[in-house]
């Protein structure tokens, strides 16, 4: 019994995702080999005695053949063992899982804010091409896209906290309840989302204008279907495909931007964790953080690819025709 085209499509994307994760893990292992000198000496510092360095190298398996070290590293990753923190001796995975929810919350808030504001702006600009709103939106969107996230973060702190005293900026508000945590999330999320608001608006505008010119849309208009229904029920679903694709790829950029946002706004998260680890050359923590970010990025792209089956019914028909 042969599998359906959709199941084969899902299976191929799963295999591709696993291969990407495997290649990324091997590449990350290879990058650790580029550390100048003996990694044990780098991790233990210049005051470590030769006996201590030798004992640490043996305990970490650094004196074993390269292929054996790679296989051990891959096996540990599969078991969820990402090593131990050089400073505290705690499992690195525990450290990452403690702060990952903060980074995930910040990233999801930025994506949600970008979609909630960018989609309506893009739809209105597409349905009113050439208007003053469309022209002003084009200039504003390009300006937002061109501004780096850390510059936006600094200006937001100066305007809304230092000058206006409207919003708190530091920390996550552990003792102030959900309301205080939400207030402290506004500026970091906005600093990440601002460039994506303009990007989504312009991309959706261009895609929606193209879809509105297709034959099936003209047929719906000829039959008297209300314009609002055509735009928001028929055209928007197809026009959203490029936007969803860009958002899937943009998760990696947002996670990278979260590093600067967490440092500027003094928030716990993967960004702060990896920044502090780099400062003291705590390479197991850096390695584990990068692996987690790569895993989230590949999983997001997998979900993005699978969402095309729902957004574009024509893809399912094309898969069926290709049997």
């Amino acid at each position: 019994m042969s599998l359906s085209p959709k199941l084969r499509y899902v299976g191929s994307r799963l295999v591709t995702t696993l291969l990407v994760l495997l290649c990324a893990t091997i590449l990350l292992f290879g990058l650790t080999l580029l550390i100048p000198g003996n990694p044990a000496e780098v991790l233990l510092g210049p005051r470590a005695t030769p006996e201590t360095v030798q004992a640490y190298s043996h305990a970490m398996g650094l004196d074993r053949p390269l292929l054996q070290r790679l296989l051990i590293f891959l096996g540990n990753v599969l078991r969820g063992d990402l090593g131990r923190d050089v400073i505290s001796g705690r499992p690195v995975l525990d450290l990452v899982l403690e702060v990952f929810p903060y980074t995930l919350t910040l990233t999801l808030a930025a994506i949600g804010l970008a979609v909630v504001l960018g989609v309506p702006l893009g739809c209105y600009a597409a349905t009113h091409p050439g208007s003053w709103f469309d022209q002003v939106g084009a200039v504003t969107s390009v300006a937002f896209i061109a501004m780096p996230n850390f510059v936006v973060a600094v200006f937001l702190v100066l305007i809304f906290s230092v000058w206006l005293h409207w919003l708190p900026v530091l920390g996550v508000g552990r003792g102030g309840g959900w309301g205080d945590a939400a207030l402290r999330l506004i500026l970091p999320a906005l600093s990440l989302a601002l460039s994506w608001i303009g990007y989504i608006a312009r991309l959706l505008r261009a895609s929606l204008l193209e879809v509105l010119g297709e034959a099936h849309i003209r047929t719906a208009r000829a039959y008297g279907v209300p314009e609002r229904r055509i735009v928001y029920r028929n055209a928007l679903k197809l026009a959203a495909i490029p936007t969803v694709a860009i958002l899937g790829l943009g998760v990696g950029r947002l996670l990278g931007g979260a590093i600067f946002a967490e440092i500027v706004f003094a928030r716990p998260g993967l960004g702060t964790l990896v920044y502090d680890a780099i400062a003291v050359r705590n390479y197991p923590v850096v390695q584990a953080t990068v692996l987690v970010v790569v895993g989230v990025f590949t999983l997001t792209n997998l979900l993005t690819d699978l969402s095309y089956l729902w957004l574009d019914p024509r893809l399912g028909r094309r898969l069926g025709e290709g049997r």
Side-chain angles (χ1 to χ4, degrees):
M1 182 178 178
S2 62
L3 296 175
S4 67
K6 289 187 178 181
L7 286 178
R8 288 204 304 270
Y9 177 81
V10 173
S12 66
R13 291 299 181 269
L14 287 173
V15 171
T16 303
T17 300
L18 293 176
L19 289 176
V20 170
L21 286 174
L22 177 62
C23 292
T25 305
I26 295 175
L27 179 61
L28 183 60
F29 173 80
L31 291 177
T32 59
L33 302 178
L34 299 179
I35 299 175
N38 188 340
E41 295 178 354
V42 174
L43 293 172
L44 295 177
R47 296 186 178 181
T49 63
E51 293 77 12
T52 305
V53 172
Q54 183 178 2
Y56 186 82
S57 299
H58 180 73
M60 298 299 294
L62 299 176
D63 54 351
R64 298 178 182 178
L66 182 60
L67 181 59
Q68 185 179 1
R69 289 168 55 188
L70 175 60
L71 294 176
I72 292 174
F73 178 72
L74 292 176
N76 290 338
V77 171
L78 289 176
R79 293 196 305 268
D81 182 7
L82 302 181
R84 290 189 171 272
D85 179 20
V86 176
I87 306 300
S88 66
R90 295 178 57 194
V92 173
L93 184 60
D94 292 347
L95 298 177
V96 172
L97 293 179
E98 283 180 2
V99 299
F100 179 69
Y102 296 108
T103 300
L104 182 63
T105 301
L106 177 58
T107 304
L108 292 178
I111 293 175
L113 188 61
V115 171
V116 168
L117 296 179
V119 170
L121 292 176
C123 290
Y124 190 86
T127 53
H128 299 79
S131 63
W132 68 267
F133 180 87
D134 187 24
Q135 296 175 8
V136 172
V139 175
T140 306
S141 298
V142 172
F144 286 164
I145 294 171
M147 293 181 65
N149 291 329
F150 66 91
V151 174
V152 175
V154 171
F155 274 104
L156 290 177
V157 171
L158 290 175
I159 295 172
F160 292 100
S161 181
V162 177
W163 294 344
L164 299 178
H165 303 285
W166 285 359
L167 293 170
V169 294
L170 301 180
V172 293
R174 297 176 185 268
W178 288 100
D180 185 48
L183 287 176
R184 295 177 186 272
L185 184 62
I186 292 175
L187 293 184
L190 184 59
S191 68
L192 293 178
L194 202 58
S195 62
W196 284 95
I197 294 173
Y199 199 38
I200 289 175
R202 303 314 297 171
L203 181 62
L204 186 62
R205 173 193 179 277
S207 181
L208 191 57
L209 283 174
E210 182 179 352
V211 173
L212 289 174
E214 294 183 357
H216 67 281
I217 298 296
R218 293 197 299 269
T219 302
R221 285 172 175 158
Y223 277 96
V225 178
E227 186 69 17
R228 186 180 184 86
R229 181 176 179 181
I230 291 175
V231 172
Y232 293 101
R233 293 193 59 181
N234 301 101
L236 182 58
K237 191 174 180 180
L238 295 176
I241 294 177
T243 304
V244 172
I246 291 299
L247 280 177
L249 296 173
V251 169
R253 182 178 173 185
L254 284 171
L255 287 173
I259 295 177
F260 296 103
E262 288 168 355
I263 293 172
V264 172
F265 294 99
R267 294 178 58 88
L270 294 179
T272 305
L273 181 66
V274 74
Y275 177 79
D276 294 338
I278 291 174
V280 296
R281 295 184 178 182
N282 195 345
Y283 291 107
V285 175
V286 177
Q287 195 175 54
T289 305
V290 173
L291 272 178
V292 171
V293 172
V294 170
V296 173
F297 180 70
T298 53
L299 178 61
T300 303
N301 279 272
L302 173 63
L303 297 176
T304 301
D305 289 340
L306 298 182
S307 69
Y308 298 156
L309 293 173
W310 173 72
L311 290 171
D312 190 357
R314 297 173 297 182
L315 177 59
R317 291 195 293 269
R318 287 196 296 267
L319 291 175
E321 294 170 356
R323 296 182 60 179

